[in-house]
């Protein structure tokens, strides 16, 4: 029977379902459920007998010979491949499935050989196979057959259907859409075609057109807007279906855009168990081992929220210590594991023991070579890490997935026994790979628009069916691809038409069917249009102006002429935002207005404002930045380990310089060779001390730092000779303070070096990186550090005034002077400006008028961007 329209199709299926004498067969399980559901909802009888419908695979299975042996499945095929690839002698004759130059990589051929075994039957029809390929296929088939025979197994893939094997004679069967049933060709060519089987096919009708969009985002948006309009016209979500050419790829975009429009979607597709909490737990345990207990792998396991941890606070404590001590890598041997020696050096004994137990457990799991020892290691780790209830507190779905995975592990154990494989190297890795290939299908009802993968939705016919992403690659239907072979070998005459048959069938897969595709995919890949549509391609366009989301944006931008009625969820968003993000803070201290005095909060017990050069510079950059840091004490947390802790390396350099000047007292450039030796010796000792600290950098980084700073220190000796020859150190790391009760501040400074020569006084500050430079005039001052030091020295009275002041930058290898003996006027100006700054700051605090002063320099590395809510000046 041939149906010529969707109405005829529906009529034929309903008639068949009503007929108690007939078993109705659908091409897929999805189609079977779809039609039963529709029949039940739309028909007066509203019932279907459980045994009156079948999916094609189940029906076809009735024609296969019954065997006394046990059937092989994918798992057994995988185990065969595993064993075969580890048998050096068996693999050696391979010619095609062999990495000639990298024989040690042969285990990477596992999936290709697995695929080849599944395609062995189809291979018989390929005529022009390369000789080496055919040789290997026969060799592998021989080994596989022997493997099965020795274990009393058989592979159903090699069996051919036959009417003789069919034992149920009393029934009549009606198969809908045989043209899209996998294996129909072989079935229809059986010697005796079953006389009790009727078929219903769809007519090859006039071809529809394909809407072609410029890119995939436009396509997705336009289709969702159309759906939204349909719903607003009264169409129920359940009447609409989307089938996507490549659902895996388009899914996140589709879900995102649907959420923006408030369209509920249910993606009808299984997912790998490894994407759920228990799967993540197992795979991340393995990842700990393969990544040598790296901080990243530790974080990814121990911070996972879908797992019911027994002692989560211990995880965060361990990871925080890892950051504090700059643990950059772990290792399998304890001797080179930074976690172990750094936690040990810092005497974090409890955390150390906890980490060691975790590590022992993971190593035992990864080295288990049989199911007994694997389960023991696994359950011991679960006891150690998880709550007694396991994954149950994380939701029913996680608990079910956990049971599903354990069942899969058990099935592997059974298959290992069946295959007489007692010991398997890297068993846990093998299990995870196997689990990763399985699909866990959540048993949940479809809510909203159902979304299917193109290849599985065949056979359904909802009122509205949108087939998106119908490019040539996505709509291509082939038999199993032959691994490691160019596709030209697989081109059998009627294969193209199999893709066409599917497209023709999809033409009848709904009362209103729309095919669409796009020229560019997400990610920029371009596509081809399926040949089937050639000549019937219309350039479709997405009209942003009609999209409510775009129109809303324009309205916000002040476009008066745009009138639109927002979606319900847009109204909801606005309502929520107007109570939160859109509300102006009552006291916005980033506005210089003077909401309330801050002076009382800013001063210490003795009523003085404690100031330092860094504080003054921060206030000068942006008062709000100072307020956040020094008054509110908001600090950014550190979430990453640093292989170079710049702050500590800077302190190390300062320490080297201080020791050097203490030893030599007066710098005499004529002794530069001895100085170089001395400073290198000091540096070596300091680095050695640093290396013993739990927070030190890894050895390779330390080696790099030593080399780099050794060169910098040599340059330093030279520059010192040029600018400060014969200067003696008056003070190193000299702490000075000034108390000004009249103004109300206490100024504190720690000067790297104060040096004197013939009555001249110099202050120097050493910078590991780039040093601040003086602006062209005293109005543009980027740092008040040196004027602060000059002010402090003058206030002490002993040295009177500072004649020269400079920063030394190790990375640039030069001094930059703020003033020298001849620019004393500049110094006086800078100190006067500093006094004004301090005065203004105190006045601001007294009235509470702080405010933010955004600028490219101030904002570019500022940690308070989210707090001040100003427009940031970005470079
Ligand atoms: S981001 Fe800019 S404006 Fe905001 S606090 Fe930081 S420096 Fe000030």
């Amino acid at each position: 029977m041939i149906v010529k329209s969707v109405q005829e199709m529906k009529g034929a299926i309903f008639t068949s379902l009503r007929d108690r004498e007939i078993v109705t067969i659908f091409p897929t399980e999805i189609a079977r459920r779809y039609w039963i559901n529709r029949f039940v909802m739309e028909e007066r009888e509203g019932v279907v007998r459980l045994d009156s419908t079948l999916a094609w695979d189940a029906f076809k299975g009735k024609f296969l010979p019954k065997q006394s042996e046990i059937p092989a499945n994918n798992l057994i095929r995988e185990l065969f491949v595993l064993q075969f690839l580890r048998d050096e002698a068996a693999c050696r004759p391979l010619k095609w499935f062999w990495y000639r130059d990298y024989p040690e990589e042969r285990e990477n051929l596992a999936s290709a050989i697995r695929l080849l075994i599944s395609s062995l039957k189809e291979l018989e029809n390929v005529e022009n196979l390369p000789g080496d390929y055919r040789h290997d296929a026969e060799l592998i088939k021989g080994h596989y057959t022997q493997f099965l025979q020795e274990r009393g197994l058989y592979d159903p893939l090699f069996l051919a259907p036959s009417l003789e094997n069919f034992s149920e004679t009393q029934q009549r069967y009606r198969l809908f859409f045989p043209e899209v049933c996998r294996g129909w060709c072989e079935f229809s060519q059986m010697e005796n075609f079953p006389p009790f089987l009727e078929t219903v096919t769809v007519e090859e009708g006039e071809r529809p057109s394909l809407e072609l969009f410029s890119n995939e985002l436009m396509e997705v948006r336009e289709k969702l807007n159309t759906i939204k309009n349909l719903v607003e016209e009264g169409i129920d979500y359940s009447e609409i279906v989307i089938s996507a050419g490549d659902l895996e790829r388009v899914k996140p975009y589709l879900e995102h855009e649907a959420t923006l429009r408030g369209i509920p979607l249910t993606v009808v597709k299984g997912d790998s168990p490894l994407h759920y909490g228990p799967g993540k737990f197992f795979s991340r345990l393995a990842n700990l081992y393969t990544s040598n207990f790296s901080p990243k792998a530790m974080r990814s396991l121990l911070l996972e929220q879908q797992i019911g941890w027994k002692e989560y606070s211990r995880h965060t404590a361990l990871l925080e210590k890892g950051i504090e001590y700059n643990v950059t890598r772990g290792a399998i041997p304890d001797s080179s594991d930074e976690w172990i020696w750094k936690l040990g050096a810092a005497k974090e004994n409890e955390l150390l023991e906890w980490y060691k137990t975790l590590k022992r457990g993971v190593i035992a799991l990864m080295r288990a070579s049989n199911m007994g020892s694997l389960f023991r290691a696994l359950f011991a780790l679960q006891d150690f890490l998880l709550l007694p209830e396991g994954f149950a507190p994380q939701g029913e779905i996680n608990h079910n997935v956990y049971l599903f995975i354990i069942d899969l592990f058990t099935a592997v154990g059974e298959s290992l026994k069946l295959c007489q494989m007692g010991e398997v190297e890297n068993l846990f890795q093998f299990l995870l790979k196997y689990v990763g290939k399985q699909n866990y299908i959540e048993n949940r009802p479809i809510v909203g628009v159902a979304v299917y993968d193109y290849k599985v939705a065949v056979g359904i016919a909802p009122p509205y069916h949108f087939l998106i992403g119908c490019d040539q690659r996505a709509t291509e239907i082939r038999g199993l691809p032959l691994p490691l072979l160019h596709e030209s070998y697989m081109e059998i005459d009627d294969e193209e038409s199999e893709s066409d048959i599917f497209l023709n069938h999809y033409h009848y897969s709904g009362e209103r069917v729309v095919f669409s595709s796009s020229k560019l995919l997400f990610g920029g890949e371009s596509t081809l249009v399926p040949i089937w549509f050639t000549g019937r391609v219309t350039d479709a366009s997405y009209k942003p102006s009609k999209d409510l989301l775009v129109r809303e944006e324009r309205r916000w931008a002040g476009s008066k002429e745009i009138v639109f009625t927002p979606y319900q969820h847009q109204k909801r968003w606005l309502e929520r935002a107007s109570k939160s993000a859109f509300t102006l803070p009552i006291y916005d201290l980033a506005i210089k207005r003077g909401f309330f005095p801050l002076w009382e909060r800013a001063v210490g017990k003795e009523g003085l404002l404690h100031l330092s050069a860094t504080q003054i510079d921060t206030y000068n950059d942006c008062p709000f930045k100072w307020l956040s840091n020094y008054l509110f004490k908001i600090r950014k947390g550190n979430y990453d380990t640093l292989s170079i802790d710049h702050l500590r390396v800077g302190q190390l350099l300062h320490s080297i310089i201080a020791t050097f000047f203490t030893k030599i007292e007066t710098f005499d450039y004529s002794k530069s060779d001895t100085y170089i030796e001395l400073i290198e010796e000091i540096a070596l000792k300091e680095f050695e001390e640093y290396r013993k600290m739990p927070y030190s950098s890894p050895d390779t980084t330390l080696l790099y730092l030593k080399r780099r700073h050794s060169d910098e220190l040599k340059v330093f000796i030279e520059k010192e000779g040029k600018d400060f020859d014969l200067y003696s150190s008056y003070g190193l790391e000299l702490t000075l303070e000034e108390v000004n009760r009249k103004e109300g501040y206490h100024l504190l400074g720690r000067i790297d070096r104060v040096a004197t020569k013939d009555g001249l006084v110099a202050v120097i500050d050493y910078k590991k990186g780039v040093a601040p430079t003086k602006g062209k005039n005293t109005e543009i001052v980027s740092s008040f550090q040196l004027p602060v030091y000059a002010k402090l020295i003058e206030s002490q009275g002993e040295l009177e005034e500072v004649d020269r002041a400079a920063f030394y930058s190790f990375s640039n290898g030069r001094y930059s002077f703020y003033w020298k003996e001849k620019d004393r006027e500049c110094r006086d100006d800078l100190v006067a400006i500093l006094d004004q700054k301090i005065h203004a700051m105190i006045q601001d605090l007294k009235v509470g008028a702080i405010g933010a002063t955004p600028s490219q320099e101030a904002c570019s590395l500022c940690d308070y961007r989210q707090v001040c809510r100003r427009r940031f000046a970005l470079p």
Side-chain angles (χ1 to χ4, degrees), residues 298-493:
M298 291 279 284
R299 272 204 302 266
S300 126
L301 172 74
L302 299 179
L303 297 181
E304 175 55 51
Q305 295 297 309
Q306 282 185 44
I307 300 170
W309 299 113
K310 194 193 260 176
E311 296 179 288
Y312 188 71
S313 57
R314 204 185 282 273
H315 301 188
T316 49
L318 178 70
L319 296 172
E320 275 169 18
K321 289 294 167 197
I323 292 168
E324 187 181 332
Y325 302 137
N326 287 330
V327 174
T328 53
R329 59 184 180 159
I332 305 292
D334 285 358
S335 54
S336 46
D337 186 341
E338 280 189 18
W339 289 103
I340 290 189
W341 85 259
K342 290 196 169 187
L343 289 172
K347 306 222 176 336
E348 300 284 356
N349 295 338
E350 263 187 47
L351 288 177
L352 177 65
E353 279 316 308
W354 192 90
Y355 171 75
K356 280 183 174 174
T357 314
L358 170 70
K359 186 174 175 181
R360 268 198 306 275
V362 171
I363 292 177
L365 177 69
M366 297 304 290
R367 292 189 178 161
S369 57
N370 60 56
M371 289 308 290
S373 55
L374 186 134
F375 271 127
R376 271 195 300 282
L378 189 60
F379 292 145
L381 263 174
Q382 279 181 212
D383 280 350
F384 174 60
L385 290 169
L386 306 183
L387 292 167
E389 308 87 281
F391 290 92
Q394 261 37 55
E396 200 188 340
I397 175 79
N398 272 325
H399 180 63
N400 292 342
V401 174
Y402 171 73
L403 297 179
F404 181 73
I405 295 177
I406 293 294
D407 280 351
L408 289 173
F409 285 0
T410 313
V412 174
E414 294 301 318
S415 298
L416 281 170
K417 265 193 230 153
L418 217 56
C419 296
Q420 298 155 20
M421 292 166 75
E423 302 284 318
V424 176
E425 224 183 294
N426 301 329
L427 180 57
F428 192 61
Q429 291 282 43
F430 174 79
L431 290 177
L432 285 181
K433 251 193 219 167
Y434 176 68
V435 171
K437 286 181 201 158
Q438 310 307 309
N439 246 344
Y440 181 80
I441 300 172
E442 273 181 63
N443 194 6
R444 59 188 170 119
I446 291 174
V447 178
V449 177
V451 182
Y452 295 99
D453 201 55
Y454 175 80
K455 292 182 179 101
V456 303
V458 71
I460 63 171
Y464 295 88
H465 196 168
F466 295 92
L467 290 126
I468 62 171
C470 291
D471 59 65
Q472 202 234 338
R473 194 187 300 173
T475 56
E476 196 167 49
I477 308 282
R478 286 178 180 277
L480 282 175
L482 298 179
L484 304 188
L485 200 64
H486 188 267
E487 27 183 72
S488 58
Y489 287 101
M490 289 165 252
E491 276 171 12
I492 304 170
D493 286 350

Side-chain angles (χ1 to χ4, degrees), residues 152-168:
L153 301 165
Y154 77 97
D155 196 326
L157 286 180
F158 299 162
L159 302 178
S162 161
L163 184 59
E164 287 161 20
N165 303 319
F166 191 82
S167 51
E168 299 160 30

Side-chain angles (χ1 to χ4, degrees), residues 84 91-98 100 109 113 116 120 123 130-143 484:
F84 174 69
C91 292
R92 206 172 299 125
L94 289 173
K95 295 177 179 177
W96 191 280
F97 287 77
W98 188 247
R100 215 157 291 287
L109 288 164
I113 296 184
L116 181 79
L120 281 171
L123 213 62
D132 285 353
Y133 197 96
R134 195 173 289 287
H135 165 271
D136 282 6
E138 276 162 19
L139 186 102
I140 291 167
K141 187 177 181 184
H143 280 282
L484 304 188

Side-chain angles (χ1 to χ4, degrees), residues 590 618 621-626 628 851-873:
T618 311
D621 257 6
C622 171
F624 192 87
K625 198 198 269 190
W626 175 87
S628 309
T853 51
S855 71
Q856 181 167 325
E857 295 73 33
C859 300
S860 63
L861 291 174
C862 181
D863 291 339
Y864 304 106
R865 290 167 163 235
Q866 280 92 347
V867 192
C868 73
R869 304 212 296 186
R870 296 303 100 185
R871 280 179 180 273
F872 312 120

